[in-house]
Amino acid sequence: QIQLVESGGGSVQAGGSLRLSCEASAYEFNKYCMGWFRQAPGKEREGVAIIHTGGGSPYYGYPVKDRFTISQDNAKNTVYLQMNSLKPEDTAMYYCAADWAPYRPGCPTLSVEFGYWGQGTQVTVSS
């Protein structure tokens, strides 16, 4: 069982930055796919950024490429999402998710394939 706790959301003006953190209570943290997803009111949950904690290239959703960066600190069992050049359309509830992946060379990108979820943190970007 893994528990995920997000932090770092808030309100910011367009063009600003925020950094989200997701701390995981898990053994063998380096064997997980960790992802950030977001869901705006009336919209489906979408993948923002995903990374395997054991290494490899991260995945970014098209709307956030070149603006958002996912990173990890395995010593702290924590994944980060640095969000720069924020836009009003980035406003959503952001969720951290985890999928046990000890052997998989890559990570899924669909939310249904992640079995563990945090409670979410709200990000609001005003114009």
Side-chain angles (χ1 to χ4, degrees):
Q1 193 75 7
I2 180 174
Q3 291 186 326
L4 305 172
V5 179
E6 303 105 329
S7 61
S11 297
V12 65
Q13 289 191 325
S17 298
L18 284 173
R19 189 177 81 155
L20 307 183
S21 299
C22 173
E23 184 175 358
S25 62
Y27 294 104
E28 299 185 290
F29 181 70
N30 63 338
K31 295 180 180 178
Y32 282 87
C33 288
M34 299 293 296
W36 288 99
F37 292 80
R38 68 185 183 185
Q39 189 166 20
K43 294 189 176 181
E44 292 188 355
R45 190 168 295 189
E46 64 174 347
V48 175
I50 298 164
I51 193 169
H52 195 291
T53 51
S57 299
Y59 161 87
Y60 293 100
Y62 178 77
V64 308
K65 278 183 178 179
D66 301 323
R67 298 189 297 122
F68 290 12
T69 302
I70 188 169
S71 62
Q72 64 195 82
D73 185 339
N74 285 9
K76 296 182 178 180
N77 279 18
T78 300
V79 171
Y80 304 96
L81 184 68
Q82 178 67 43
M83 305 185 294
N84 298 329
S85 302
L86 282 161
K87 304 175 181 180
E89 50 264 43
D90 294 318
T91 295
M93 184 70 79
Y94 283 71
Y95 296 92
C96 177
D99 179 47
W100 173 243
Y103 309 115
R104 188 183 304 157
C107 288
T109 59
L110 299 178
S111 60
V112 293
E113 297 186 80
F114 284 77
Y116 304 98
W117 292 85
Q119 80 285 355
T121 185
Q122 179 68 36
V123 171
T124 302
V125 185
S126 58
S127 58

